[in-house]
Amino acid sequence: MSEQKPEQSTARKRLQTAMAMLLFTSHRLPGVRGYELRRRLGKNYLKVIETLNHRLEPMGLRVKILFETVVEQPGEEDYDRARYFITLAEPLTLSDVVAAGWRVDELAVLAAALALLFSRGGKAPRKDLMELLEAKMPKWRVESALEKFMRRGYLVDSGDGVLSVGWRAVAEVDQKQLLKALTDLQTREIT
Amino acid sequence: MTSVKVAREELERLIALCEAVAKSGTDPYNLDVKSMLSKLRSILEKFRNAEVLVLDAETLYRIAVVVALQHKWLKDRANSLFLDSQVIALKIASSDKKSLAAAFVSSWRPILYTEQLTIHMLNIGLEHFLSLPTRGEKTAGEMLPSEGLALENLSKTFSQYERLEEDVRRIHGEMLGARDVDGSVDYLGFVNAEGPSKVVERAFLTAFVVSEGYADLKKNPLTGEIRIIPYTEKVKRSSVSSLVVTVKGGELVV
C-alpha cells in the first residue's frame, strides 16, 4: 500500500474528527453547532461536512443541517449557528422500528400529535389532542406517551396547556411527507 | 377622565386579543388587523395622555407580532400542503393505530448518536447530590454486622440480640396476662402502660410479637380502636397486611 501524502492524512484526520463530533454527545442534546465545527476543523468545515456526507451516503446515512430560523439563502452566520446531526438517509420500515423497541401505539400518538401540530402552524391546545386520541386508546397511555415524547424533545409543553413541535421533530420528521402519508393512507382506505 | 379610562380598557382588550392568538397558535387571520389599526388611530388622535400613548405603542407592537404570525401561518400552511387541521383531525380519528404509526415511520429519519457521561450530566448529578438532606452520623448501635463491625464488637451485638429476644418474650407474657374476657387487649392502653417515655419501646416490641405470629392486631374501622389478640402458640397466617401507628410527642396518633 502506498504511503499517504500529508494533505491526505490531514483530510482523513479532519473527517474522523467531524464524525466523532457528530456522533458523540458532548452537550445535553445530540449534534454540534457550526461554530464548534469551525473551531475544530477550521474555516473550511463545510467542505469537510460535504465530504463526510458523500462518504456516509452509501451507508444510508447523511448529515442533516438544522438552521435556527427558516432561511432561503443561508449565509455564513446561519451555518455557524445551525446544528449538525447524522441521521438516516431513508426511513425505516414499521417492523424495523418495532424491533428496535418502539411501541406501535406510542408511534401512533406521536404521529397524531405531530400531524395535528403541523396542520395548525406548530402549536395546538393539549386538550384538543387528548380528545382526539382518547377515542383510540386509554387516557393514561396517551398521557404517558406524550410525557415520553416531551422528554425526548419531540414535543414541547409551554406550561399553559399548549403543545408545540420540539427541536427533535423538526430535525427528524419530514413535515410534508408525514401529512402526505396520512392523506394517502386515507385515500387508499376510502377508494 | 372616563373617556381616558375607556380608551385604556379598549387598548388593553386589543393587547389581550393579540396575546391570546400568539399564545394559543390559532389562526392569526381570525383577527381583523385593519379594523384594529383604525381603532388605534382614532384613540391616538383623541388622547395624548402619556399612559394611553404607552399602551398605544404596546398595542402597535402586538399587532405587528400578529402580522408576523400571519406571514408564518401562510408559510406553514404551504408546508402542510394547505390541508385544513379539521381534515387532519378527521383523518387521525378514522385511521387505526398501525396505519398512523406507519405514516409516521415513513417520514421519520432518526438521529444517530452515542450517549455517554458528559460534564453537563456530571453537573446535574452533583447538583442532585448536594441538594440531598444531610443524614446524621450512624451510631455503633445502628450499624449492622455486615457494615464492618470488628470481631470484638460481635459479642456485644449478639448480647443485644439476646436482650431483644428477652424483651419480646416479656411483652408477649404481659399481653397474655392483660387479656380481657374476650381474649383481647386494648392497644393504646397496653403500649401506654409504663408511661409516655416507654411508649415507643413497647410499640416496637408489640410490633415484633405481632410480626412473629404470637399476636394479631384488629382495628375497628368505625371507632378507630385497635385491639391486640395474643396467642399462646405461634399462629401461621394465610394473608398478612401492615398497619401504621404514628407516635408523636410521646403520644399515639392513630
Side-chain angles (χ1 to χ4, degrees):
Chain A
M1 220 167 86
S2 62
E3 210 172 281
Q4 275 186 343
K5 289 177 185 170
E7 57 266 35
Q8 278 180 324
S9 163
T10 315
R12 196 183 162 142
K13 185 84 187 146
R14 278 190 182 155
L15 274 181
Q16 286 172 351
T17 312
M19 188 73 179
M21 283 178 81
L22 290 167
L23 280 180
F24 289 100
T25 342
S26 53
H27 310 288
R28 195 168 57 88
L29 305 179
V32 277
R33 294 267 187 195
Y35 55 79
E36 291 173 283
L37 289 168
R38 177 190 285 279
R39 211 179 296 142
R40 291 287 304 276
L41 306 171
K43 62 178 181 182
N44 288 331
Y45 72 95
L46 281 172
K47 279 190 179 169
V48 180
I49 293 296
E50 204 184 321
T51 316
L52 184 65
N53 219 353
H54 285 303
R55 296 277 183 101
L56 289 173
E57 214 179 297
M59 288 182 276
L61 303 173
R62 64 169 183 183
V63 179
K64 165 103 183 174
I65 306 173
L66 186 69
F67 294 103
E68 278 201 330
T69 50
V70 184
V71 275
E72 279 168 24
Q73 289 287 322
E76 200 175 293
E77 275 193 13
D78 297 312
Y79 279 107
D80 276 359
R81 280 201 299 263
R83 193 167 268 281
Y84 296 70
F85 311 96
I86 292 181
T87 70
L88 292 186
E90 293 299 324
L92 297 162
T93 62
L94 184 58
S95 51
D96 287 339
V97 176
V98 171
W102 290 81
R103 290 178 60 96
V104 169
D105 34 13
E106 283 179 350
L107 290 170
V109 169
L110 187 57
L114 289 177
L116 195 75
L117 292 175
F118 286 147
S119 70
R120 291 198 186 177
K123 273 183 186 177
R126 188 180 173 133
K127 71 171 173 53
D128 286 8
L129 186 66
M130 289 301 296
E131 276 170 19
L132 194 63
L133 289 169
E134 268 176 45
K136 288 189 174 297
M137 53 189 96
K139 190 180 173 183
W140 66 267
R141 191 173 282 285
V142 179
E143 291 272 8
S144 90
L146 288 179
E147 290 299 324
K148 180 177 175 176
F149 292 124
M150 275 187 254
R151 278 198 306 275
R152 295 194 176 193
Y154 287 99
L155 302 169
V156 176
D157 189 348
S158 47
D160 48 3
V162 177
L163 282 181
S164 52
V165 179
W167 70 270
R168 200 175 198 130
V170 178
E172 294 184 354
V173 182
D174 186 329
Q175 178 179 340
K176 280 185 189 168
Q177 209 164 334
L178 173 65
L179 293 173
K180 193 172 178 301
L182 213 66
T183 326
D184 286 352
L185 187 83
Q186 288 303 106
T187 318
R188 262 206 312 274
E189 277 183 11
I190 293 163
T191 50
Chain B
M1 200 64 191
T2 325
S3 53
V4 171
K5 196 182 169 192
V6 170
R8 202 176 59 208
E9 280 174 4
E10 179 68 13
L11 288 173
E12 281 170 352
R13 195 182 63 81
L14 292 179
I15 292 172
L17 265 175
C18 296
E19 255 185 354
V21 167
K23 268 190 179 175
S24 63
T26 50
D27 185 355
Y29 282 98
N30 286 338
L31 286 186
D32 188 353
V33 172
K34 213 173 174 181
S35 76
M36 284 170 91
L37 283 173
S38 62
K39 263 183 203 172
L40 203 63
R41 190 190 186 102
S42 68
I43 292 171
L44 188 66
E45 281 169 358
K46 278 184 203 164
F47 308 99
R48 295 283 169 178
N49 178 299
E51 192 188 356
V52 175
L53 281 175
V54 169
L55 272 176
D56 203 277
E58 173 74 15
T59 316
L60 193 63
Y61 166 71
R62 300 282 176 179
I63 293 173
V65 170
V66 170
V67 173
L69 282 174
Q70 286 181 340
H71 176 71
K72 186 178 173 285
W73 179 262
L74 266 185
K75 271 192 172 179
D76 290 339
R77 289 296 300 271
N79 272 339
S80 62
L81 313 169
F82 285 98
L83 283 170
D84 191 69
S85 65
Q86 292 291 329
V87 177
I88 293 292
L90 199 71
K91 283 171 182 178
I92 293 167
S94 59
S95 309
D96 60 293
K97 286 186 273 183
K98 200 171 176 183
S99 310
L100 283 174
F104 171 73
V105 168
S106 71
S107 64
W108 186 40
R109 289 165 185 85
I111 294 172
L112 265 78
Y113 67 99
T114 58
E115 283 186 343
Q116 84 267 2
L117 203 58
T118 62
I119 293 173
H120 176 75
M121 290 176 194
L122 278 173
N123 278 334
I124 291 176
L126 183 68
E127 273 174 31
H128 171 72
F129 179 75
L130 294 175
S131 70
L132 290 175
T134 318
R135 293 185 66 188
E137 277 185 28
K138 282 187 175 181
T139 57
E142 284 175 332
M143 285 177 82
L144 294 172
S146 60
E147 282 181 291
L149 264 187
L151 273 173
E152 56 265 29
N153 288 336
L154 277 177
S155 59
K156 206 194 277 177
T157 314
F158 283 131
S159 69
Q160 279 173 352
Y161 289 154
E162 277 171 21
R163 207 178 64 211
L164 183 71
E165 274 181 25
E166 273 174 28
D167 288 342
V168 171
R169 264 199 297 274
R170 178 176 57 81
I171 279 287
H172 182 230
E174 275 185 40
M175 270 180 204
L176 291 170
R179 277 184 293 183
D180 284 347
V181 202
D182 61 346
S184 67
V185 185
D186 176 44
Y187 179 80
L188 284 173
F190 183 74
V191 294
N192 264 318
E194 289 181 68
S197 59
K198 291 275 181 180
V199 167
V200 177
E201 191 187 321
R202 289 178 70 85
F204 178 69
L205 293 170
T206 306
F208 255 99
V209 176
V210 174
S211 304
E212 285 296 305
Y214 287 100
D216 265 340
L217 283 184
K218 273 200 178 167
K219 187 179 178 181
N220 186 330
L222 296 176
T223 60
E225 187 195 17
I226 304 171
R227 294 198 73 82
I228 310 166
I229 302 149
Y231 307 116
T232 45
E233 295 287 315
K234 188 173 179 169
V235 173
K236 211 173 184 181
R237 302 180 184 108
S238 55
S239 64
V240 184
S241 59
S242 58
L243 176 74
V244 180
V245 182
T246 314
V247 181
K248 201 174 180 183
E251 286 186 5
L252 282 166
V253 183
V254 185

